[in-house]
Amino acid sequence: MRRNNHALPRRIAVAASAVLVLVASACGGTTRDDTTEEDGAAAEEEPAEEETDESESGEDEAAAGGEIPEGLTVTFLPKQVNNPYFDIAAAGGESAVGEFAGEFDQVGPSDATASSQVSYINTLTQQGIDAIVTSANDPNAICPALEEARDAGANIVTYDSDTDPGCRDVFINQASPDGIARVQLEMAAELADGEGEIAILSATANATNQNAWIALMEEMLAEPEFEGLELVATVYGDDDDQKSFQEAQGLMQSYPDLEVIIAPTTVGIAAAARYIDGSEYKGDVGVTGLGTPNQMREFVHNGTVEQFALWNPEDLGYLAAWAAAALAAGQMTGASGDTFTAGELGEYEVDEDGVVLLGPPTVFDSSNVDDFDF
Ligand code: RAM
């Protein structure tokens, strides 16, 4: 059942990714250079892989390395559990684990904090889980606990938000940080007509992924294409809906001339859109960033949001679970150049620092937001 649900959005997403590349170049925006070239190639390869029978590809992989043992225990530990983004990723993980006949579970805190994640890791270590797949709330704070889990035999995969590379075997990166930063600035520049004040509404202050994207956006603001934009504030909604809503409100009080709020978080962008939608700023202040189509659809249709971006979180979870299996089966160690087969997504290669790249982000707007269901 899940497999069917899983396959459909992926096919649509692949097609839409190709559309995005075309739209981006047709608009004459800055090319997403190195990132897009690499990502574009990955996207082109995917349709071919769609034809591959998943059980057949699993067998091929098993033949190439160690057999994936039946009953492998794979537990997802996201930043937080009450976040639709991570639920979608978990559905992808569960599909993958079902395909290799393992045992899937997801545990995690309701608040996105590293200290809560540590207790979960300790419990998983005691339980002797084969693989922990986690999105880190802090690059270093969960490392000692992960180290103990590894000593106890667990394979560690990070997805979405990495730890220090020394604390895990591989990191499944949703898209290149450069590409994620750039697409958000491009959307903001378009909304602001290239000029004016912008602010960032982030998630938690220590999140590795958020901070990497913010640092890159800050750097890119010096580029000629973005030099008319002025970043006046970065605030943190902690991936909490209410706090994010209040932070959006606070931004407008402090900076009434703000042109655009960029929220690189699915929780933040939905809350900011809801605030702007119900405020006097609707129509004057743009909201963009990273969101899920299901959460953002109404705001696109009612004119609050023109464009936002995201990768397919279900694919992210699916890929992460297959990477965990490949590690546990000894098919790879996570070294640069290692390859593994991720079920129906096909073959992936481990890049430098143990990073595996999923693919390019997709831009959503009124023309395509209804084609997606996640
Ligand atoms: C939120 C989380 C997550 C991020 C997405 C875009 O759900 O902060 O880490 O990748 O948004």
Side-chain angles (χ1 to χ4, degrees), residues 79 83 85-86 160 174 203 209-210 213 239 264-266 311:
K79 281 179 173 176
N83 177 336
Y85 169 85
F86 286 113
D160 178 68
Q174 44 269 55
N209 57 348
Q210 295 283 323
W213 304 332
D239 269 348
T265 137
T266 56
W311 43 92

Side-chain angles (χ1 to χ4, degrees), residues 36-56:
T36 310
E37 272 168 36
E38 192 179 317
D39 291 343
E44 272 159 31
E45 278 163 18
E46 286 187 7
E49 298 295 345
E50 297 289 349
E51 304 304 323
T52 310
D53 177 81
E54 63 203 22
S55 55
E56 195 182 286

Side-chain angles (χ1 to χ4, degrees), residues 8 12 36 39 41 64 74 83 88 96 144 197 248 279 316 341 351 367 370:
L8 183 62
I12 299 171
T36 310
D39 291 343
V74 179
N83 177 336
I88 304 162
E197 296 181 356
S279 77
L316 183 66
T341 300
D351 297 332
S367 72
D370 292 332

Side-chain angles (χ1 to χ4, degrees), residues 63-331:
E67 194 85 36
I68 294 175
E70 217 175 286
L72 201 72
T73 47
V74 179
T75 299
F76 274 44
L77 172 58
K79 281 179 173 176
Q80 56 179 168
V81 284
N82 54 351
N83 177 336
Y85 169 85
F86 286 113
D87 290 343
I88 304 162
E94 191 169 4
S95 292
V97 175
E99 286 169 20
F100 55 76
E103 283 175 38
F104 174 86
D105 198 8
Q106 168 157 280
V107 296
S110 54
D111 60 327
T113 63
S115 54
S116 322
Q117 283 187 311
V118 167
S119 335
Y120 282 98
I121 296 167
N122 292 341
T123 306
L124 296 175
T125 304
Q126 280 157 18
Q127 291 168 344
I129 295 295
D130 295 316
I132 300 174
V133 179
T134 188
S135 170
N137 281 316
D138 185 293
N140 302 307
I142 65 171
C143 281
L146 288 178
E147 208 44 59
E148 280 178 33
R150 275 175 130 177
D151 289 346
N155 297 275
I156 310 295
V157 174
T158 50
Y159 72 117
D160 178 68
S161 183
D162 200 9
T163 53
D164 179 284
C167 315
R168 45 69 175 164
D169 299 302
V170 290
F171 169 46
I172 309 299
N173 200 354
Q174 44 269 55
S176 84
D178 196 83
I180 296 171
R182 188 170 294 283
V183 74
Q184 293 183 89
L185 282 186
E186 284 174 352
M187 294 186 297
E190 213 172 306
L191 283 168
D193 275 337
E195 225 176 270
E197 296 181 356
I198 63 168
I200 295 175
L201 168 58
S202 179
T204 53
N206 290 334
T208 328
N209 57 348
Q210 295 283 323
N211 289 337
W213 304 332
I214 293 169
L216 283 164
M217 283 194 268
E218 285 170 356
E219 253 176 67
M220 288 172 187
L221 282 171
E223 296 178 12
E225 190 190 356
F226 305 123
E227 67 189 5
L229 302 177
E230 187 196 353
L231 179 63
V232 292
T234 297
V235 295
Y236 300 90
D238 292 345
D239 269 348
D240 174 273
D241 175 68
Q242 273 314 309
K243 178 147 199 284
S244 304
F245 185 92
Q246 283 156 11
E247 290 294 343
Q249 190 172 25
L251 278 175
M252 292 317 307
Q253 275 160 8
S254 309
Y255 305 96
D257 295 332
L258 209 57
E259 292 281 339
V260 182
I261 297 175
I262 300 177
T265 137
T266 56
V267 179
I269 191 175
R274 199 169 78 250
Y275 170 68
I276 294 295
D277 185 26
S279 77
E280 61 189 289
Y281 303 106
K282 182 167 175 172
D284 292 332
V285 178
V287 175
T288 194
L290 305 175
T292 69
N294 287 355
Q295 284 183 287
M296 300 309 291
R297 185 170 295 110
E298 67 171 295
F299 302 113
V300 170
H301 289 313
N302 74 19
T304 310
V305 172
E306 277 181 29
Q307 289 183 322
F308 63 97
L310 199 69
W311 43 92
N312 184 333
E314 194 168 4
D315 284 352
L316 183 66
Y318 183 86
L319 179 56
W322 274 104
L327 287 165
Q331 292 170 355

